[in-house]
Amino acid sequence: ISGITYLDHAGSALFPESLLKAFTDDLRNNVYGNPHSQNISSKLTHDTIEHVRYRILQHFHTTAEDYTVIFTSGCTAALRLVAEAFPWIPEGTKQPSSRFCYLTDSHTSVVGMRGITASMNVLSVPINPKEILLSEENRLPAEEQNFMTPHLFSYPAQSNFSGTKYPLSWIQDIKSGKLLPIKIPGKWFVLLDAASYVSSSPLDLGVHQADFIPISFYKIFGFPTGLGALLVNNRIAPLLRKTYFGGGTAAAYLAGEDFYIPRKSIAERFEDGTVSFLDIIALKHGFDVLEKLTGGMEKIKQHTFALAHYTYTVLSTLKYANGAPVVCIYSDTDFSNPDVQGPIINFNVLDESGDVVGFSEVDKMASLYNIHVRTGCFCNTGACQMHLGISNEDIQRNLQAGHVCGDDVDLVDGHPTGSVRISFGYMSSFEDAQAFLKFIIATRLSKSDAENAFQSSVTKLTRESVPDDHPSFNNMDKLCPILHNSDREPRKNSSATRTTVNWQPPEAEAESIRAAVSESAVPTCRRGGKPITVTNIYLYPIKSCSAFEVTGWPVGNQGLLYDRNWMVVNQNGVCMTQKQEPRLCLVNPSIDLEQKIMVIQAEGMDPISVSLEENTGKEAMICESKVCSHRVKTYDCGEEIAGWFSLFLGRPCRLIRQSSDVKDRSHQKNTKGMASATNISLSLVNEAQYLLINVASILELKEHISARLEEPLEIDELIRRFRANIVISAPESFEEEEWAEISIGALQFQVVGPCSRCQIICIDQQSGERNKEFLQSLSAARGRKTNFGIYLMNQPLHSSLPGVLSVGSQVLPVLKENTEIQPPTSSEEKCSG
């Protein structure tokens, strides 16, 4: 866009080339299917969309605990959704009726909501901005307050006409009853129209908790267009109503009867049909690029305001030779404070006699100078009337004269029908401001006046208004966890690394554990048979990477210590598994408890190590990630390890670790039957803390698979494919599916359900090669089911001492009353990962 001065950032931001490149590279490297399907590409799409939801919430300093992101086609569609779904109480009922109040300085799409409310027999009340400041007079005495009738008040965080920023404190003041738009009993909810505001200012929803926040993403990133969102406060979300239901929104319905059950998720309930999933995926790159280029919204706010302040100051001082002003600026502020004024300047050009020069003429002249401005009333008739002094009768008279919104009829009987607006964005520069000012001076002032004006105003303000410390968009350096290169020799590639370290508690503690077990562990065991023992123990420090085999290992509150504490994510922050990247099985992590490091090795790569000490400092960038349907807090492990994985896998990826923040309760499972319905803490596993398989079951399955493959099959290879934590030797195949609880040494576990297998068992864990026969054989052998192995959860220890799981320990099972075991209830496909 060389040679073009773009000054309509309030209309749409411009997208940077790096955003498009990152997005198209993403599309070249990944296959994204319809998220309503269940295949691998669809799962990738679903997970990426969920990651983008959390990225949006993170951008606005909130979490999924407080807000839900509903994707729409734009801010307008989000506003319409609110109007249709809000729990209005109409006129004519026995209850007091609802009111819809809106600030007159609002976008057409907000005012248009009154069409829907009118059809519902709900009254709409326009509120002048000056009236709201006096609304404390509307406060009701406590005895007259009625907190049952819901009312809605809508106002813009920033006027798209003038850039005026209305107080965000209104949100809490109105919800608490301190300010009331009108004097009427009821409970007030607040819709904050943030479309204009968030393009150049940070919005903290953790502080300013509006009930509804509609946004359009092209205002922020420039791309994609046609995509917006409604952020809904979860406190109001259950009250929203919905009549139409489209694809993907129903949990169940009947075509022949009036029966419909919506999905529980608010987002899924209101996102009718297939969302614009590729556009949503592009948002991730939009956030990345915005952060990389600018350093964040606060810097954008300061940068754009500095440009607006400078331009306003020069523009307001320009005068003709007779002293008449060159422009009339429509503003409620003096552009001295970025907290009350955004980077928008609205004005009309005047001639020497003070008459308005039509905005169409100004627009055409600007085009000759390759300057792009916006003209008209900007879909904000209320603000246009207020600032230009246009009466209701004038609007109707102008319509009769042939003027309609958006045309080029700029003057009717010498009076303006609209104005000119310029607005700055994060990529605007000081040169853009100067180019615009030079255009105004060159087209309105004589040569001598222009020279004087430019010397007295532009040059002077170049020094004063844009100081040396004007915000610039340098990349912000982020401190990452320090990684230590291991000087060990890399091992030969193997699917499981075995350690001879047998971790045991001190003898005194072990004796206490044995005493505790002897008092409490008296299970009703299965009838007769040989004793059952643990034959193998595996942990998987990095989700979906190779196993680390041990003979004894400590147990933490999430399962085996360090089991699936790390995971590899793609460039979109979505968890990578062997489904998408089979070569993950060739990555061999091992844990050294003495040196407190995890060593990662792979064939052809130098070993690299990661500290087991969690990085909890300020340099740790905490973010939310998703594993199946669970949200987890994670932090990035740094550039060096990211480069290692990217080089080995041949694609951009990073290693992240689950944060052990005790305040995080997002990755927990409420397990039926557990003591006091305790919330069980999970690591980065899909479903449960442990997965157990039985060697006898493996042997029976081996016969079926070997027959189909027509070649011998090693038992160890099968065990590795099923990626269990605990391998036992029970006499009978599949008898583990009849157990309700088991004890192993001092540890007690509850059986959660069977593991429904996915295509990961088709991957040879030593070579990374796929063979679909394994899943097909499992299905045939088990009567079209793919269950194999059982999930376990820790039951609370009877001792405060740490537990240890050891090879050779006896397994004491308790039979279920009902021998048919049910799989865990989840919509996600289960796999051990």
Side-chain angles (χ1 to χ4, degrees), residues 501-650:
V501 176
N502 187 359
W503 189 93
Q504 295 286 351
E507 180 57 33
E509 296 179 4
E511 186 61 36
S512 298
I513 293 174
R514 283 193 288 270
V517 173
S518 64
E519 293 177 4
S520 59
V522 188
T524 306
C525 296
R526 58 187 175 80
R527 296 176 297 278
K530 297 180 181 179
I532 305 172
T533 58
V534 175
T535 61
N536 305 83
I537 299 172
Y538 300 97
L539 60 146
Y540 306 83
I542 305 176
K543 183 177 175 67
S544 240
C545 289
S546 177
F548 175 49
E549 186 175 7
V550 296
T551 56
W553 200 254
V555 171
N557 65 349
Q558 294 182 326
L560 291 170
L561 191 62
Y562 301 119
D563 183 44
R564 295 178 176 90
N565 267 207
W566 292 263
M567 67 180 177
V568 182
V569 297
N570 67 10
Q571 70 271 32
N572 292 333
V574 174
C575 175
M576 293 171 60
T577 70
Q578 291 183 29
K579 294 179 186 178
Q580 300 90 23
E581 185 50 76
R583 282 171 51 81
L584 283 170
C585 71
L586 306 181
V587 176
N588 300 291
S590 60
I591 301 292
D592 189 324
L593 292 175
E594 292 184 358
Q595 296 192 38
K596 296 183 178 180
I597 58 172
M598 174 175 65
V599 180
I600 307 172
Q601 303 184 75
E603 188 173 3
M605 301 290 291
D606 292 333
I608 191 169
S609 63
V610 180
S611 173
L612 298 183
E613 298 291 336
E614 184 169 347
N615 182 6
T616 57
K618 292 183 179 179
E619 69 273 17
M621 187 174 69
I622 302 295
C623 60
E624 281 194 331
S625 302
K626 192 169 185 186
V627 181
C628 284
S629 58
H630 310 294
R631 284 181 291 108
V632 291
K633 282 188 177 179
T634 60
Y635 65 84
D636 192 280
C637 292
E639 296 298 331
E640 186 176 4
I641 193 69
W644 192 95
F645 272 96
S646 298
L647 179 62
F648 179 71
L649 297 176

Side-chain angles (χ1 to χ4, degrees), residues 179-291:
L179 292 178
L180 292 178
I182 56 175
K183 192 171 185 179
I184 187 172
K187 180 176 177 61
W188 285 93
F189 296 89
V190 177
L191 187 161
L192 183 72
D193 179 6
S196 177
Y197 182 91
V198 298
S199 65
S200 58
S201 298
L203 176 61
D204 189 341
L205 293 180
V207 177
H208 307 292
Q209 297 187 346
D211 298 292
F212 305 98
I213 305 95
I215 56 175
S216 283
F217 292 107
Y218 72 92
K219 302 272 189 180
I220 307 173
F221 308 123
F223 178 87
T225 57
L227 181 65
L230 176 67
L231 277 65
V232 180
N233 193 309
N234 288 337
R235 287 191 291 269
I236 179 68
L239 303 180
L240 300 182
R241 302 166 179 170
K242 192 166 186 283
T243 51
Y244 174 82
F245 60 93
T249 64
Y253 75 97
L254 293 175
E257 294 182 23
D258 187 13
F259 174 79
Y260 162 70
I261 302 296
R263 288 184 177 268
K264 290 184 178 180
S265 163
I266 296 297
E268 290 180 323
R269 188 182 305 176
F270 283 91
E271 289 172 352
D272 292 298
T274 301
V275 294
S276 187
F277 55 89
L278 294 183
D279 287 335
I280 293 172
I281 291 169
L283 295 181
K284 187 269 177 188
H285 302 288
F287 284 114
D288 287 348
V289 169
L290 192 74
E291 180 67 28

Side-chain angles (χ1 to χ4, degrees), residues 21 107 115 177 192 223 265 292 320 323 347 366 405 422 450 455 522 560 606 651 697 730 780 830:
K21 184 179 186 304
H107 194 277
L192 183 72
F223 178 87
S265 163
K292 181 179 179 181
Y320 290 103
F347 65 97
C405 292
I422 62 171
Q455 290 297 325
V522 188
L560 291 170
D606 292 333
R651 59 189 298 183
S697 305
K830 311 301 185 304

